[in-house]
Amino acid sequence: MSLQGLQSLLDGILMGGVYALAALGLSLIFGVLKITNFAHGAMMTVGMYVVFALGNDLGLNPYLALPFAMVLMFLIGFLIQRFPIHYIEHAPTHNQLLLTLGMAYILENVLLVIFTPNYQTLTVKGFEKAWRIGSLTFAPAKLIAFGVVIIVTGCVYYLLYMTNTGKSIRASAQNETGAKLMGINVRNIRAIAFGIGAVCTGIAGGLLTPIMSIYPTLGETFQLKCFVITVLGGMGNLWGALVSGLIIGVVESLSGYYLGGSWSEMVIYGIFILILFLRPTGLFGRGNRREN
Amino acid sequence: MLTITDLHVGIGNLKIIQGISLEVRRGEIVSLMGANGVGKTTFMRALSGLGHITGGTVEFEGQDITHATSQEIVEAGLIQVPEGRQLFSLMSVKENLEIGAHTKRAKARMKENLEYVYTLFPELKEMNSQAAGNLSGGQQQMVAVGRGLMADPKLLILDQPSIGLSPIMTQKVLKAVIDIHIRGVSVLIAEQNIHDVLKIAHRAYVLEQGLIRASGTAQEMAENAEIKAMYLGH
Amino acid sequence: MKTKKVEQGTLLVLLLMAVIYPFLSDRYMLSVGISVLLMALLGQSWNIMSGYAGQFSFGHAAFFGLGAYASSILYVDHGVSPWIGMIAGMAVAALVGVLIGFLSFRYKLRGDFFALVTLAFAEILRVLFNNTKALKAATGILIPYKDVWSEFQFANDRIFYFILLAMVIAATIFIGLMSRRKFGVCLIAIKENQEAAGSLGVPVLKYKLLAMAISAAIAAMAGTFYAQYYGFIDPTVVFSAAISVEAIVPCIIGGAGTLGGPLLGALIIVPLKELSNNLFEGVNGVNMIIYGVLIVLFVVFCRDGIYGTVIRRLKGARS
Amino acid sequence: MQYIMESERKPMRSKRIFLLLMTALLALSMVLSGCKSQTATDTIKIGSVHPLTGSMAYEGQAMVNAQKIAIDKINAEGGINGRFLELVAKDSLGTSSGAANAALKLTNSGVVALTGTYTSSSAQVVSRTAEKTRIPLVVTVASSDNLLSNGYRYTFRVQPSVSVFSQNFLKYLSYFKTDDMETVAFIYENSNYGAGISEYITDHIDETGLRIVGMLSYPATTSTMSSEVTKLAALDPDLLVPIGYYSDQNLFMKEVLERGIQFKKIVGCANGAFSDAKFLRTYGTQVDGIYDINYRYNPNSEEAQYMLETYREVYGEDIPVHAIYGYESIMVVADALKRCKNPDDPEELRDAIAASEIYEHVLPQGVIKFDEKGENINSAGVLVEIRDGKHIIVFPEEYADHDEVQK
């Protein structure tokens, strides 16, 4: 592989980390709660704007703004699940889709009203230049994002597998009746799970704020990519989401380098269709396949 | 301990349970018998707060739980081992048991209860880290009963625990029920397999078309010619 | 039998209204009327595949776009009348629909997964058309401006309106007739329980593919109309997810799997959207917030759709 | 069908539904057409159709902002023969049907002219609407080449189209082309604007003596430009031509600057980022030496100064260059209105616009005059250089400004 190929691979891995985190949120919501969430991109954008607002108006370092974004995102996620989504949990997929789409319109346009549609850019001091190792370059914001992604994924793993709340979440996902009969407040647990999903999504958005210029509908561009990653990794499978996030990042970057950016979209959707046909439980086979 | 008066339960517009009165006294094993589809499961689910109760009352330990949520009911000590076991199939046996101890009360006695479950079903200890979904039907039923015990029940409801089990497994489960009863837990058990269950029950009710058709002590029921003809079949 | 009468009655009333409407309205209202009908047609198309047969599509833009492109390319590059082009487009879309369906059903995709596959196909077509020079790539196709009926071009929008109305009526009658025959009963059986239907001897795959073909063909018809009426198409317009959404919205609002649902749904949501556009001109975004809220409220409080709920109430009144 | 089997229901219900629906229809038609009666007769209304929500909302809103400034200016100067202008702006929602409905709503409410629409697909739809309703449309921004190829009588375009920009590029090449410049690479977003320009230029590249070493296209919604930057760095063309919208081109430059890649010469063509004030605010002098062929105001025009300052004052930022054409579109309409005997007659207005000869305007071009297709015959972009963190017009010579125009 040429040096440029290597650089593309590296860029793909770093960007893939952010995709992975964004998809992790979707994977939780999609796999655990069985909700086809088309407000996912919009939720990401909310995270972006929270970090932007704190960074731009209060001068807070964007990475210090992340905890605030997390709290807010948790609340938003909790409320979205608790109010509208709760009522359509067992409704057909298209009802869920339309409802979350409606939520997306609301979120995006609330952002539009508050922040105007202007493109916003947040620059971080000291991040103007890439870091280098030999001839390879690392964009600092992407590198940090990658680190945060690993940490957050670890935390979510801990939360889901080591804590009582996490166990209740997984239990409710696997068997709602069983969970209720053990005295789990499934309604709250689901709202918490959605909240956690929203937090991951929001962090992913927040991490992108120093990387891209943001505008209210930016999240839409991540929507489908997140679905691809989620299905590829197996729904509800954390490590699956992480690995396939990286895969998609790398595929995008390499196909962008060798075939051109216009066709890399095509390659990703092609992979998506193949995976849906051939391994709908995901590459790692542990995701739960949904049937209606 | 559990007093049910004129209970009505529906699913959608359908009226499934049309006025059942039933009682479980402290220290009893009571059996609810009936053929497939007479509404046993609907009735049982309603007791745990998973049904649409349209009339009547359910009283547990002097407390009205007719419209309580399933959490409140579990907290009060009325625990159900549901039909079809409803395990968390991707989680390990150990995790399944741990989740059983979800309430505060149960958490406080978790260690003790876990030990008891392991003495009751020693094989569970060996399967601790296996995913519950990979176990055989009988093993799964043991996990389900164990999980119910982890919730520290005062009254344990078992909904058709022998369904799909081999005769040996069925015996094992019923033996466990006796053991549990000896330990001071009252039991309400729904069964199609009347022959076996009447051997361990004190009293029994027969459910038919959403109504109690007959009731009495286990012995009376076992000797009732009509019931013999209908359910015991031989 | 009375419910059936209500259904027929409602449809008749809708028809009557639709026929009178253009004579009461000015150009703007006529244009809104065309938006309503276009959404209704797309909705009807979605309805047969997803509402009746239960195969939930989120990629109807694929068929819509194919229809628009097939007739436009034939017209602009080869001088073929769009009337004929429309038939060709319907055939192409039906073929692609069957292909997508065959692959999906062969690999046993259902529910969300089927929806995502259709979405992915629509996106692939968008990228493909956007990057293929022979298909005019990103430049899109401009339809010549004429007033020649044989070329599906009219200076008078009222004629466009009635043509579209005829399409909606044709699609509705077609679906209505189909749904009352064995085909429709089988589709519902497939939706309720595919395995059971199969074991009862319903040719599941054949019927599902047939439903997809019909659905795709109707969407393609809408696509041709769109190209001819608005006069311009490009890949980002006709293959966009927004079109796929337009196919779903009226069905959910009106009631999926009911004959009048998509019609009523379109009749309600389009004017409401237009109304919020007109009422909240001052602060941008508020119109879309209102639209979002409307959708959320409809989905939460009217799960079977307005038409579906009315029908259910009527049936419920009996017991 | 499930319902067929059902029975027993009160009669008359279908009648009730009928009445209900008819009432709803009546109410709706009254509400929808309601604004008609509210028309205040003494203002002359100009309609504006732009995307005000969705992904193009910023561009659309800036356009409307600039139009408002133009309207205010005319009104402050006494309006049109004593009558004031009024801008009625509607959201096109960025869709064809949205644009058509918005345009018709405007023509309904009595506008004498339409302006719009930023996106080419909406412009195509609105131009057709203009033709049908016989109300003139002055395009603010829509660069698609085939916009006027249908022979519409009522559509006029002030701004340079894709091919004009491309011709400008080829013409202005002489300014920045050096003798040792041999290779050129393009990086462009692949919608009809980016792809259109790059295609036109490549078709005529032989005339320039340059050799194309790279044609990189990407979707405007991309979230990363890393592989493109890597590839271009390896190609190391003598001339790099980026064409795209603000957010994607900003992403591109960000990656280039982060990695410290020194391209020999970067000349954007209608680049959404390079000519934007925000771009300079973000990167300052780091982007010195970049050229862009783009929309611009005429630095020597006093009116342009007025427009700049007012925009900055009212909206707190520099006017985005595309919005200048929003401003000028109103001026074109106003100029024509002044020459009309009856300003309320769109037909007369159309003829007046067609006969426009505007010498005093804010654009860096000669007289504004339309050919028979409706295209502004002198439309042109200018070559802007970023020097000391500022935009300076360097070519053509007559619009070159060496004084500091902006702060």
Side-chain angles (χ1 to χ4, degrees), chain D residues 8 22 42 73 79 85 90 97 128 169 178 180 247 251 271 278 286 317 326 329 349 368 373 400:
Chain D
E8 287 312 304
M22 276 322 246
D42 51 340
K73 180 168 188 287
L85 288 182
K90 277 194 72 75
S97 56
R128 186 171 276 236
F169 179 87
T178 49
D180 54 351
S247 60
L251 197 61
N271 191 300
K278 282 192 296 295
Q286 291 183 78
E317 63 166 357
S329 67
L349 181 60
I368 296 177
K373 281 172 89 181

PDB file of all heavy atoms in Angstrom, chain D residues 8 22 42 73 79 85 90 97 128 169 178 180 247 251 271 278 286 317 326 329 349 368 373 400:
ATOM      1  N   GLU D   8     -74.770  -3.918  10.544  1.00  0.00           N
ATOM      2  CA  GLU D   8     -75.429  -3.165  11.607  1.00  0.00           C
ATOM      3  C   GLU D   8     -74.744  -1.849  11.927  1.00  0.00           C
ATOM      4  O   GLU D   8     -73.763  -1.774  12.638  1.00  0.00           O
ATOM      5  CB  GLU D   8     -75.480  -4.013  12.897  1.00  0.00           C
ATOM      6  CG  GLU D   8     -76.468  -5.151  12.865  1.00  0.00           C
ATOM      7  CD  GLU D   8     -77.828  -4.754  12.381  1.00  0.00           C
ATOM      8  OE1 GLU D   8     -78.415  -3.831  12.981  1.00  0.00           O
ATOM      9  OE2 GLU D   8     -78.308  -5.340  11.391  1.00  0.00           O
ATOM     10  N   MET D  22     -67.439  18.383   3.165  1.00  0.00           N
ATOM     11  CA  MET D  22     -67.727  19.562   2.354  1.00  0.00           C
ATOM     12  C   MET D  22     -67.445  20.840   3.137  1.00  0.00           C
ATOM     13  O   MET D  22     -66.870  21.791   2.615  1.00  0.00           O
ATOM     14  CB  MET D  22     -69.209  19.537   1.917  1.00  0.00           C
ATOM     15  CG  MET D  22     -69.463  18.701   0.673  1.00  0.00           C
ATOM     16  SD  MET D  22     -68.202  18.800  -0.580  1.00  0.00           S
ATOM     17  CE  MET D  22     -69.091  19.601  -1.876  1.00  0.00           C
ATOM     18  N   ASP D  42     -52.113  49.915  -1.669  1.00  0.00           N
ATOM     19  CA  ASP D  42     -51.205  50.989  -2.047  1.00  0.00           C
ATOM     20  C   ASP D  42     -49.749  50.558  -2.178  1.00  0.00           C
ATOM     21  O   ASP D  42     -48.935  51.299  -2.708  1.00  0.00           O
ATOM     22  CB  ASP D  42     -51.340  52.172  -1.072  1.00  0.00           C
ATOM     23  CG  ASP D  42     -51.221  51.705   0.354  1.00  0.00           C
ATOM     24  OD1 ASP D  42     -51.425  50.490   0.570  1.00  0.00           O
ATOM     25  OD2 ASP D  42     -50.913  52.517   1.222  1.00  0.00           O
ATOM     26  N   LYS D  73     -34.307  50.630   0.798  1.00  0.00           N
ATOM     27  CA  LYS D  73     -33.604  51.737   0.151  1.00  0.00           C
ATOM     28  C   LYS D  73     -34.537  52.461  -0.818  1.00  0.00           C
ATOM     29  O   LYS D  73     -34.649  53.687  -0.816  1.00  0.00           O
ATOM     30  CB  LYS D  73     -32.382  51.217  -0.603  1.00  0.00           C
ATOM     31  CG  LYS D  73     -31.580  52.297  -1.317  1.00  0.00           C
ATOM     32  CD  LYS D  73     -30.247  51.740  -1.789  1.00  0.00           C
ATOM     33  CE  LYS D  73     -29.349  52.837  -2.340  1.00  0.00           C
ATOM     34  NZ  LYS D  73     -29.796  53.320  -3.648  1.00  0.00           N
ATOM     35  N   GLY D  79     -39.980  55.444  -2.969  1.00  0.00           N
ATOM     36  CA  GLY D  79     -40.721  54.373  -3.623  1.00  0.00           C
ATOM     37  C   GLY D  79     -40.829  54.554  -5.120  1.00  0.00           C
ATOM     38  O   GLY D  79     -40.027  55.250  -5.734  1.00  0.00           O
ATOM     39  N   LEU D  85     -42.753  49.803  -2.021  1.00  0.00           N
ATOM     40  CA  LEU D  85     -42.600  48.392  -2.376  1.00  0.00           C
ATOM     41  C   LEU D  85     -42.772  47.537  -1.130  1.00  0.00           C
ATOM     42  O   LEU D  85     -42.488  47.965  -0.020  1.00  0.00           O
ATOM     43  CB  LEU D  85     -41.213  48.134  -2.959  1.00  0.00           C
ATOM     44  CG  LEU D  85     -40.927  48.658  -4.361  1.00  0.00           C
ATOM     45  CD1 LEU D  85     -39.514  48.249  -4.766  1.00  0.00           C
ATOM     46  CD2 LEU D  85     -41.937  48.108  -5.352  1.00  0.00           C
ATOM     47  N   LYS D  90     -41.567  33.811   0.663  1.00  0.00           N
ATOM     48  CA  LYS D  90     -42.126  32.510   1.058  1.00  0.00           C
ATOM     49  C   LYS D  90     -41.072  31.422   0.976  1.00  0.00           C
ATOM     50  O   LYS D  90     -40.145  31.477   0.178  1.00  0.00           O
ATOM     51  CB  LYS D  90     -43.324  32.157   0.173  1.00  0.00           C
ATOM     52  CG  LYS D  90     -44.608  32.814   0.647  1.00  0.00           C
ATOM     53  CD  LYS D  90     -45.829  32.206   0.001  1.00  0.00           C
ATOM     54  CE  LYS D  90     -46.151  30.825   0.516  1.00  0.00           C
ATOM     55  NZ  LYS D  90     -46.747  30.804   1.857  1.00  0.00           N
ATOM     56  N   SER D  97     -42.475  20.972  -5.553  1.00  0.00           N
ATOM     57  CA  SER D  97     -43.880  21.270  -5.276  1.00  0.00           C
ATOM     58  C   SER D  97     -43.982  22.438  -4.301  1.00  0.00           C
ATOM     59  O   SER D  97     -44.867  23.287  -4.425  1.00  0.00           O
ATOM     60  CB  SER D  97     -44.589  20.037  -4.731  1.00  0.00           C
ATOM     61  OG  SER D  97     -43.928  19.558  -3.588  1.00  0.00           O
ATOM     62  N   ARG D 128     -41.415  28.126 -14.957  1.00  0.00           N
ATOM     63  CA  ARG D 128     -42.582  27.592 -15.662  1.00  0.00           C
ATOM     64  C   ARG D 128     -43.867  28.222 -15.103  1.00  0.00           C
ATOM     65  O   ARG D 128     -44.781  28.572 -15.857  1.00  0.00           O
ATOM     66  CB  ARG D 128     -42.618  26.072 -15.499  1.00  0.00           C
ATOM     67  CG  ARG D 128     -43.692  25.374 -16.284  1.00  0.00           C
ATOM     68  CD  ARG D 128     -43.506  23.876 -16.245  1.00  0.00           C
ATOM     69  NE  ARG D 128     -42.551  23.442 -17.260  1.00  0.00           N
ATOM     70  CZ  ARG D 128     -42.824  22.522 -18.196  1.00  0.00           C
ATOM     71  NH1 ARG D 128     -43.989  21.928 -18.217  1.00  0.00           N
ATOM     72  NH2 ARG D 128     -41.940  22.177 -19.094  1.00  0.00           N
ATOM     73  N   PHE D 169     -13.566  31.873 -16.108  1.00  0.00           N
ATOM     74  CA  PHE D 169     -12.384  31.164 -15.645  1.00  0.00           C
ATOM     75  C   PHE D 169     -11.343  31.078 -16.742  1.00  0.00           C
ATOM     76  O   PHE D 169     -10.169  31.408 -16.549  1.00  0.00           O
ATOM     77  CB  PHE D 169     -12.774  29.759 -15.182  1.00  0.00           C
ATOM     78  CG  PHE D 169     -11.618  28.934 -14.715  1.00  0.00           C
ATOM     79  CD1 PHE D 169     -11.185  28.998 -13.403  1.00  0.00           C
ATOM     80  CD2 PHE D 169     -10.938  28.099 -15.593  1.00  0.00           C
ATOM     81  CE1 PHE D 169     -10.114  28.252 -12.976  1.00  0.00           C
ATOM     82  CE2 PHE D 169      -9.859  27.353 -15.173  1.00  0.00           C
ATOM     83  CZ  PHE D 169      -9.438  27.423 -13.857  1.00  0.00           C
ATOM     84  N   THR D 178       1.023  31.074 -15.047  1.00  0.00           N
ATOM     85  CA  THR D 178       2.445  31.339 -15.268  1.00  0.00           C
ATOM     86  C   THR D 178       2.943  30.400 -16.352  1.00  0.00           C
ATOM     87  O   THR D 178       2.269  29.429 -16.692  1.00  0.00           O
ATOM     88  CB  THR D 178       3.236  31.103 -13.967  1.00  0.00           C
ATOM     89  OG1 THR D 178       2.851  29.838 -13.434  1.00  0.00           O
ATOM     90  CG2 THR D 178       2.947  32.192 -12.954  1.00  0.00           C
ATOM     91  N   ASP D 180       5.300  28.243 -16.375  1.00  0.00           N
ATOM     92  CA  ASP D 180       5.637  26.868 -16.005  1.00  0.00           C
ATOM     93  C   ASP D 180       4.432  26.068 -15.499  1.00  0.00           C
ATOM     94  O   ASP D 180       4.573  24.980 -14.992  1.00  0.00           O
ATOM     95  CB  ASP D 180       6.748  26.869 -14.948  1.00  0.00           C
ATOM     96  CG  ASP D 180       6.371  27.716 -13.757  1.00  0.00           C
ATOM     97  OD1 ASP D 180       5.339  28.417 -13.839  1.00  0.00           O
ATOM     98  OD2 ASP D 180       7.092  27.668 -12.738  1.00  0.00           O
ATOM     99  N   SER D 247     -19.936  24.520   3.208  1.00  0.00           N
ATOM    100  CA  SER D 247     -19.507  23.606   4.264  1.00  0.00           C
ATOM    101  C   SER D 247     -18.503  22.577   3.759  1.00  0.00           C
ATOM    102  O   SER D 247     -17.541  22.245   4.449  1.00  0.00           O
ATOM    103  CB  SER D 247     -20.704  22.924   4.918  1.00  0.00           C
ATOM    104  OG  SER D 247     -21.410  22.200   3.959  1.00  0.00           O
ATOM    105  N   LEU D 251     -14.526  22.376   4.756  1.00  0.00           N
ATOM    106  CA  LEU D 251     -13.952  21.126   5.245  1.00  0.00           C
ATOM    107  C   LEU D 251     -12.666  20.802   4.480  1.00  0.00           C
ATOM    108  O   LEU D 251     -11.650  20.409   5.067  1.00  0.00           O
ATOM    109  CB  LEU D 251     -14.982  20.012   5.033  1.00  0.00           C
ATOM    110  CG  LEU D 251     -14.830  18.711   5.786  1.00  0.00           C
ATOM    111  CD1 LEU D 251     -14.888  18.955   7.276  1.00  0.00           C
ATOM    112  CD2 LEU D 251     -15.941  17.753   5.382  1.00  0.00           C
ATOM    113  N   ASN D 271     -16.639  29.410  -5.813  1.00  0.00           N
ATOM    114  CA  ASN D 271     -16.459  28.618  -4.604  1.00  0.00           C
ATOM    115  C   ASN D 271     -17.254  29.208  -3.444  1.00  0.00           C
ATOM    116  O   ASN D 271     -17.068  30.365  -3.082  1.00  0.00           O
ATOM    117  CB  ASN D 271     -14.969  28.563  -4.259  1.00  0.00           C
ATOM    118  CG  ASN D 271     -14.686  27.545  -3.189  1.00  0.00           C
ATOM    119  OD1 ASN D 271     -15.210  27.642  -2.088  1.00  0.00           O
ATOM    120  ND2 ASN D 271     -13.877  26.555  -3.509  1.00  0.00           N
ATOM    121  N   LYS D 278     -16.985  34.653   6.371  1.00  0.00           N
ATOM    122  CA  LYS D 278     -16.769  33.720   7.487  1.00  0.00           C
ATOM    123  C   LYS D 278     -15.478  32.921   7.291  1.00  0.00           C
ATOM    124  O   LYS D 278     -14.764  32.625   8.236  1.00  0.00           O
ATOM    125  CB  LYS D 278     -17.916  32.707   7.570  1.00  0.00           C
ATOM    126  CG  LYS D 278     -19.158  33.227   8.198  1.00  0.00           C
ATOM    127  CD  LYS D 278     -20.125  32.094   8.498  1.00  0.00           C
ATOM    128  CE  LYS D 278     -20.632  31.387   7.266  1.00  0.00           C
ATOM    129  NZ  LYS D 278     -21.464  32.212   6.371  1.00  0.00           N
ATOM    130  N   GLN D 286      -3.987  32.722   6.800  1.00  0.00           N
ATOM    131  CA  GLN D 286      -3.515  31.394   6.374  1.00  0.00           C
ATOM    132  C   GLN D 286      -3.913  31.076   4.946  1.00  0.00           C
ATOM    133  O   GLN D 286      -3.292  30.228   4.311  1.00  0.00           O
ATOM    134  CB  GLN D 286      -4.145  30.312   7.250  1.00  0.00           C
ATOM    135  CG  GLN D 286      -3.677  30.287   8.682  1.00  0.00           C
ATOM    136  CD  GLN D 286      -4.340  29.123   9.402  1.00  0.00           C
ATOM    137  OE1 GLN D 286      -3.931  27.992   9.235  1.00  0.00           O
ATOM    138  NE2 GLN D 286      -5.362  29.412  10.176  1.00  0.00           N
ATOM    139  N   GLU D 317     -23.427  40.663   9.997  1.00  0.00           N
ATOM    140  CA  GLU D 317     -22.351  39.942   9.311  1.00  0.00           C
ATOM    141  C   GLU D 317     -22.194  40.517   7.904  1.00  0.00           C
ATOM    142  O   GLU D 317     -23.041  41.275   7.433  1.00  0.00           O
ATOM    143  CB  GLU D 317     -22.654  38.449   9.234  1.00  0.00           C
ATOM    144  CG  GLU D 317     -23.896  38.124   8.429  1.00  0.00           C
ATOM    145  CD  GLU D 317     -23.983  36.645   8.069  1.00  0.00           C
ATOM    146  OE1 GLU D 317     -23.057  35.896   8.390  1.00  0.00           O
ATOM    147  OE2 GLU D 317     -24.970  36.269   7.437  1.00  0.00           O
ATOM    148  N   GLY D 326     -29.465  38.917  -4.869  1.00  0.00           N
ATOM    149  CA  GLY D 326     -30.792  39.126  -4.306  1.00  0.00           C
ATOM    150  C   GLY D 326     -31.113  40.609  -4.284  1.00  0.00           C
ATOM    151  O   GLY D 326     -32.192  41.054  -4.695  1.00  0.00           O
ATOM    152  N   SER D 329     -31.582  41.922  -7.836  1.00  0.00           N
ATOM    153  CA  SER D 329     -32.819  41.480  -8.499  1.00  0.00           C
ATOM    154  C   SER D 329     -33.962  42.444  -8.169  1.00  0.00           C
ATOM    155  O   SER D 329     -34.786  42.771  -9.034  1.00  0.00           O
ATOM    156  CB  SER D 329     -33.176  40.053  -8.069  1.00  0.00           C
ATOM    157  OG  SER D 329     -33.522  40.029  -6.694  1.00  0.00           O
ATOM    158  N   LEU D 349     -44.803  45.280 -17.032  1.00  0.00           N
ATOM    159  CA  LEU D 349     -43.565  45.142 -16.266  1.00  0.00           C
ATOM    160  C   LEU D 349     -42.587  44.217 -16.971  1.00  0.00           C
ATOM    161  O   LEU D 349     -41.395  44.479 -17.058  1.00  0.00           O
ATOM    162  CB  LEU D 349     -43.888  44.611 -14.861  1.00  0.00           C
ATOM    163  CG  LEU D 349     -42.686  44.433 -13.939  1.00  0.00           C
ATOM    164  CD1 LEU D 349     -41.967  45.753 -13.714  1.00  0.00           C
ATOM    165  CD2 LEU D 349     -43.108  43.833 -12.609  1.00  0.00           C
ATOM    166  N   ILE D 368     -26.546  46.430 -17.204  1.00  0.00           N
ATOM    167  CA  ILE D 368     -27.411  45.251 -17.093  1.00  0.00           C
ATOM    168  C   ILE D 368     -28.453  45.334 -18.195  1.00  0.00           C
ATOM    169  O   ILE D 368     -29.229  46.280 -18.278  1.00  0.00           O
ATOM    170  CB  ILE D 368     -28.121  45.189 -15.731  1.00  0.00           C
ATOM    171  CG1 ILE D 368     -27.107  45.014 -14.611  1.00  0.00           C
ATOM    172  CG2 ILE D 368     -29.135  44.043 -15.702  1.00  0.00           C
ATOM    173  CD1 ILE D 368     -27.711  45.018 -13.229  1.00  0.00           C
ATOM    174  N   LYS D 373     -33.341  35.824 -24.747  1.00  0.00           N
ATOM    175  CA  LYS D 373     -33.650  34.676 -23.895  1.00  0.00           C
ATOM    176  C   LYS D 373     -33.902  35.106 -22.449  1.00  0.00           C
ATOM    177  O   LYS D 373     -34.468  34.353 -21.663  1.00  0.00           O
ATOM    178  CB  LYS D 373     -32.482  33.688 -23.908  1.00  0.00           C
ATOM    179  CG  LYS D 373     -32.446  32.814 -25.150  1.00  0.00           C
ATOM    180  CD  LYS D 373     -31.171  32.013 -25.199  1.00  0.00           C
ATOM    181  CE  LYS D 373     -31.306  30.681 -24.493  1.00  0.00           C
ATOM    182  NZ  LYS D 373     -30.051  29.908 -24.515  1.00  0.00           N
ATOM    183  N   ALA D 400     -10.849  46.265 -10.366  1.00  0.00           N
ATOM    184  CA  ALA D 400      -9.808  45.947  -9.390  1.00  0.00           C
ATOM    185  C   ALA D 400      -9.810  46.970  -8.283  1.00  0.00           C
ATOM    186  O   ALA D 400      -9.965  48.161  -8.519  1.00  0.00           O
ATOM    187  CB  ALA D 400      -8.455  45.916 -10.084  1.00  0.00           C
TER     188      ALA D 400
END
